[in-house]
Amino acid sequence: MLFNYYFFSYILFFLNLQRILKGQDLSGVLPASVAKLPYIIFLDLWANYLNGTIPKEWASTKLEVLSVGINRLSGPIPEYLGNITSLIYLTLENNMFSGEVPASLGKLANLVTLVLNTNNLTGSIPAELSHLPKLKHIRLSSNNFVGKLPSFSSLTNLQILEIQGSGFEGPIPSGISLLKNLTELRISDLNGEGSDFPQLGHMTEMTRLMLRSCNISGKIPTDILQMSHLQIL
Ligand SMILES: *[C@@H]1O[C@H](CO)[C@@H](O)[C@H](O)[C@H]1NC(C)=O
Ligand SMILES: *[C@@H]1O[C@H](CO)[C@@H](O)[C@H](O)[C@H]1NC(C)=O
Ligand SMILES: *[C@@H]1O[C@H](CO)[C@@H](O)[C@H](O)[C@H]1NC(C)=O
Ligand SMILES: *[C@@H]1O[C@H](CO)[C@@H](O)[C@H](O)[C@H]1NC(C)=O
Ligand SMILES: *[C@@H]1O[C@H](CO)[C@@H](O)[C@H](O)[C@H]1NC(C)=O
């Protein structure tokens, strides 16, 4: 498919972008020319065959939603994504991004949702990410991160935390009990050191709690009975 500025302008003007570019078998690279659309805030290219990386020209856009999940993007996550400070929702899931998560993502002060599942990311999570004031959803599953599982304890607005099979080592950090607003917590396949069942009983909004293959020992505390909305344990 030939991507160019006129093609994009045309469909943006006449059609609903939210529906038109998802799952369309689009191939080739992401077009730098998106950056010439001064008003674009929503770009969803979910489930195509796009390769290469996110063009550096996009750093100057005012995108609020960027979804490029299920494509063939590769290389490191570009540092300049941190320049798109308007971003609220960012999903890079199911691509072939590799290397470390850039600390520059810590500049995304409006970010509510960050999904990095199913890539080949390594290293640790940069400390800068633990200061994103609005972050509510973070998903890091199926990667090759190293080191101890971070506690994310300063992300007090977190509602969904998903870290399954992402390479981290245990134990489940005790700081996780500070995340009072969690509604969904999924951690699995931690290597190494174990822990007691974490203190979560006061997370009364919890609906889905999964702690599989985390080398947990001891008793299950009865205070989880306070999770009156719990659907899945
Ligand atoms: C993207 O895929 C096309 C084939 O669809 C290939 O010719 C091109 O080299 C690939 N580009 C990158 C940057 O991987
Ligand atoms: C990102 O922002 C930095 C600092 O403002 C700037 O130096 C850099 O050129 C920007 N990157 C891109 C690709 O626009
Ligand atoms: C993931 O990255 C590692 C190096 O960091 C490399 O050895 C491995 O082949 C990569 N895996 C895939 C599926 O690309
Ligand atoms: C948690 O949720 C409550 C109710 O939705 C909200 O008022 C509060 O700001 C949230 N954040 C923290 C840190 O408690
Ligand atoms: C589980 O944790 C204990 C104690 O921290 C440790 O001795 C043991 O090796 C761990 N088991 C595995 C399979 O890693």
Side-chain angles (χ1 to χ4, degrees), residues 27-29 49 51-53 74:
S27 62
V29 296
Y49 298 98
N51 66 359
T53 191
S74 59

Side-chain angles (χ1 to χ4, degrees), residues 49-124:
Y49 298 98
L50 299 162
N51 66 359
T53 191
I54 296 170
K56 66 176 181 314
E57 289 78 2
W58 293 16
S60 63
T61 63
K62 300 280 178 287
L63 283 170
E64 293 177 5
V65 173
L66 176 57
S67 162
V68 292
I70 319 189
N71 276 286
R72 293 176 178 167
L73 304 178
S74 59
I77 295 177
E79 202 183 321
Y80 46 75
L81 277 187
N83 288 27
I84 316 177
T85 50
S86 46
L87 278 175
I88 294 170
Y89 181 99
L90 175 62
T91 172
L92 306 179
E93 84 177 284
N94 250 287
N95 279 285
M96 296 179 286
F97 285 110
S98 55
E100 300 196 12
V101 176
S104 64
L105 296 190
K107 293 193 285 180
L108 301 176
N110 292 301
L111 202 62
V112 173
T113 300
L114 176 64
V115 184
L116 302 178
N117 286 357
T118 321
N119 280 287
N120 192 12
L121 300 169
T122 59
S124 52

Side-chain angles (χ1 to χ4, degrees), residues 176-220:
I176 222 154
S177 34
L178 298 172
L179 305 175
K180 306 195 288 270
N181 280 10
L182 283 179
T183 60
E184 196 174 320
L185 175 62
R186 295 169 189 261
I187 301 176
S188 80
D189 307 290
L190 293 180
N191 302 314
E193 206 181 320
S195 59
D196 289 342
F197 198 97
Q199 298 291 320
L200 309 172
H202 53 298
M203 298 180 184
T204 50
E205 301 302 314
M206 188 74 79
T207 59
R208 287 152 195 255
L209 174 59
M210 182 208 280
L211 303 171
R212 187 170 64 201
S213 297
C214 293
N215 196 2
I216 294 173
S217 56
K219 291 182 180 169
I220 298 182

